[in-house]
Amino acid sequence: MSRAARRYLEVRLEAAAVRRGEREILHAVNWRIRPGEHWLLAGANGAGKTQLLKLVAGLVWPVPAARPVLQYRLGRQAGTTPFGFKDVIAYLGAERQDKYQRYGWDVSAARIVGTGLYHSDIPLDALSAADLRRIGAVLAALGSAHLSARPLLSLSYGERRIVLLARALVARPRLLLLDEVLNGLDAASRGRILRWLARSTRALPWVLATHRLEDVPAGATHALLLDRGRVAYAGAVRRAPLARWLGTPAQREPARPLAARRQRRGAQRRGRVLVRLVNAAVYLEQRRVLAGISLTVRRGDWWIVHGPNGSGKTTLVRTLYGDQGVAAGGTIERAGITPGVPLESFRKRIGLVAPHLQADYPRELSVATVVQSGRHASIGLQGAPSAADREAARVALATFGLTRLAARTLAELSYGQSRRVLFARAWVNAPPLLLLDEPFAGLDAPTRHSLTLRLAAHRAAQRAVVLTTHRPEEWAGCATHEVQLRAGRALYCGPLRPRPARACRDGGARP
């Protein structure tokens, strides 16, 4: 037995199936993960990627079978259940991050990372000096030592993701399972993690689920492609048809400069003001997050908000929506909101897609209820939906291809499917303004392409979009304005600056 085989975990699945409710999510999956193998996991939203990773991690159970469908081996220890092996498997998915948001677990980043040493959700014991040294070393390796003392919920979405990755790594796992871990990360952080994966201990087996070609690590050795719960390909990554699975139509089509020129000409004819910030500063827990921000969003505008993790993008979106207030010395104006008019009337006319909504919604709510609640800018409904609520939700669900999912609960959906539900919720009132905070996170390539085209049509109808992103390929050809943030200040705020014309990876041509 090799030294790597003694130190790292091997997992084998034979004809494994997983059922949720009455539906079988995974069908007869055969897969073997050996020490030293680095797997890329891909497939459309709802294909079963998260359930497969949870099955390996021991978080869900397979359908009972005549003979064991799971086999684990670590050195001389072997078993057919995850018991005895769960503590050496590190699994990180979006649900863990949502859990901290949902339950308000807001302790320091160092203490959150420390829970990985003791396999708990929240800190239970004081950390030793040795623990703190180990935690500091892992955060430093991920370029995030400066976050150590910050409360978790004061961090940006991407910063929280890095802290939770450090939590997964600090226990020195024998198998690492990463479910869309690169979502919400700026280019620098994404690059650091991709480089870490490429140079990580060669014998440490890992699996990375992703929807993006640019997120395939250089160190990947194998690929598993899922199609509606079945294995479509399992083998060497160099032979895997990744472009067909992770690419979009826009990646195979030439740019359309004429369309981009028409969009730029349209951007010069700006409509009425929907929301305006003047010299706005925003404080969260006595810490200034935004300072001196001035911008005006009009009908027909498409604003891109970009900047590194922690620069204030989410706070800017939530300030426009009304979740955060502007400090004295600055002002915010919203169309239709005058003294005596409640802010809620503005929120009901605005569509919002944001990660915190995905965390805030109770998992037992049905898809139809979630979309209906968008009519009231609420989390769920306080009473029975009206006929108008039901009809508006029916149209929105059909628009986003979700009709067949209407009766399912959020707990039955994949992360990407849940994100599409939030799009339908945002669309339900045909809003003049959409506020979208990293809206494409967790979505497969065809869905990103389809939604980009739908957003372009929305803006062409003289409606407005404000969209935060770390991905230049999401700056579709119809974007008209941009805000570049750093440390809460606008380095640039104005018309979209010229960039080389080329095909946008996720739909449309870039201006």
Side-chain angles (χ1 to χ4, degrees), residues 15-64:
V18 170
R19 183 177 291 128
R20 299 189 74 175
E22 299 300 316
R23 295 183 305 110
E24 197 165 281
I25 306 298
L26 295 174
H27 315 275
V29 173
N30 296 306
W31 189 23
R32 187 177 184 182
I33 308 169
R34 299 179 177 90
E37 293 182 344
H38 300 153
W39 284 83
L40 178 78
L41 177 60
N45 293 136
K49 301 183 298 300
T50 295
Q51 296 307 308
L52 179 57
L53 292 177
K54 287 184 173 182
L55 176 62
V56 173
L59 301 176
V60 300
W61 285 94
V63 174

Side-chain angles (χ1 to χ4, degrees), residues 214-227:
E214 61 270 25
D215 287 350
V216 177
T221 61
H222 294 73
L224 182 76
L225 306 180
L226 283 179
D227 183 12

Side-chain angles (χ1 to χ4, degrees), residues 352-390:
L352 176 67
V353 175
H356 75 271
L357 282 180
Q358 204 148 336
D360 289 346
Y361 266 98
R363 306 292 291 164
E364 66 273 12
L365 288 185
S366 72
V367 167
T369 299
V370 172
V371 177
Q372 290 162 4
S373 70
R375 294 255 302 163
H376 307 278
S378 60
I379 302 296
L381 296 171
Q382 294 183 347
S386 67
D389 292 339
R390 290 193 296 270

Side-chain angles (χ1 to χ4, degrees), residues 221-282:
T221 61
H222 294 73
L224 182 76
L225 306 180
L226 283 179
D227 183 12
R228 288 171 288 187
R230 299 183 185 277
V231 175
Y233 174 88
V237 72
R238 65 180 179 275
R239 293 194 294 269
L242 297 183
R244 179 161 61 86
W245 284 75
L246 298 176
T248 69
Q251 288 173 303
R252 299 185 290 273
E253 295 174 357
R256 295 186 287 261
L258 178 60
R261 287 198 297 271
R262 286 173 178 167
Q263 289 158 356
R264 286 198 295 273
R265 287 199 297 269
Q268 297 169 4
R269 301 188 294 271
R270 302 185 70 189
R272 72 180 181 89
V273 173
L274 296 173
V275 61
R276 173 181 285 140
L277 284 173
V278 179
N279 193 34
V282 177

Side-chain angles (χ1 to χ4, degrees), residues 213-348:
L213 273 174
E214 61 270 25
D215 287 350
V216 177
T221 61
H222 294 73
L224 182 76
L225 306 180
L226 283 179
D227 183 12
R228 288 171 288 187
R230 299 183 185 277
V231 175
Y233 174 88
V237 72
R238 65 180 179 275
R239 293 194 294 269
L242 297 183
R244 179 161 61 86
W245 284 75
L246 298 176
T248 69
Q251 288 173 303
R252 299 185 290 273
E253 295 174 357
R256 295 186 287 261
L258 178 60
R261 287 198 297 271
R262 286 173 178 167
Q263 289 158 356
R264 286 198 295 273
R265 287 199 297 269
Q268 297 169 4
R269 301 188 294 271
R270 302 185 70 189
R272 72 180 181 89
V273 173
L274 296 173
V275 61
R276 173 181 285 140
L277 284 173
V278 179
N279 193 34
V282 177
Y283 289 79
L284 300 178
E285 297 181 353
Q286 300 182 335
R287 186 176 65 88
R288 190 174 65 185
V289 181
L290 294 176
I293 303 296
S294 297
L295 67 87
T296 301
V297 181
R298 300 173 182 269
R299 281 186 174 271
D301 285 356
W302 182 320
W303 283 84
I304 294 292
V305 183
H306 60 102
N309 291 132
S311 60
K313 300 182 299 298
T314 293
T315 300
L316 176 57
V317 168
R318 297 192 70 168
T319 300
L320 295 175
Y321 186 67
D323 286 341
Q324 312 294 353
V326 173
T331 61
I332 183 166
E333 305 167 17
R334 298 181 178 91
I337 301 300
T338 57
V341 177
L343 178 60
E344 203 66 20
S345 67
F346 177 79
R347 288 174 170 164
K348 290 179 180 179

Side-chain angles (χ1 to χ4, degrees), residues 154-227:
S154 75
L155 304 180
S156 72
Y157 186 85
E159 288 171 332
R160 295 180 198 179
R161 181 61 55 92
I162 295 173
V163 168
L164 293 178
L165 175 59
R167 178 190 180 277
L169 298 178
V170 75
R172 297 171 184 159
R174 300 297 185 257
L175 172 63
L176 183 60
L177 306 175
L178 302 175
D179 191 2
E180 294 281 351
V181 74
L182 299 174
N183 283 345
L185 299 185
D186 59 34
S189 299
R190 202 163 61 246
R192 280 195 298 272
I193 292 173
L194 287 172
R195 288 191 295 273
W196 184 90
L197 288 171
R199 68 173 186 266
S200 62
T201 304
R202 295 182 64 181
L204 170 65
W206 52 253
V207 182
L208 173 70
T210 184
H211 287 297
R212 297 176 183 268
L213 273 174
E214 61 270 25
D215 287 350
V216 177
T221 61
H222 294 73
L224 182 76
L225 306 180
L226 283 179
D227 183 12

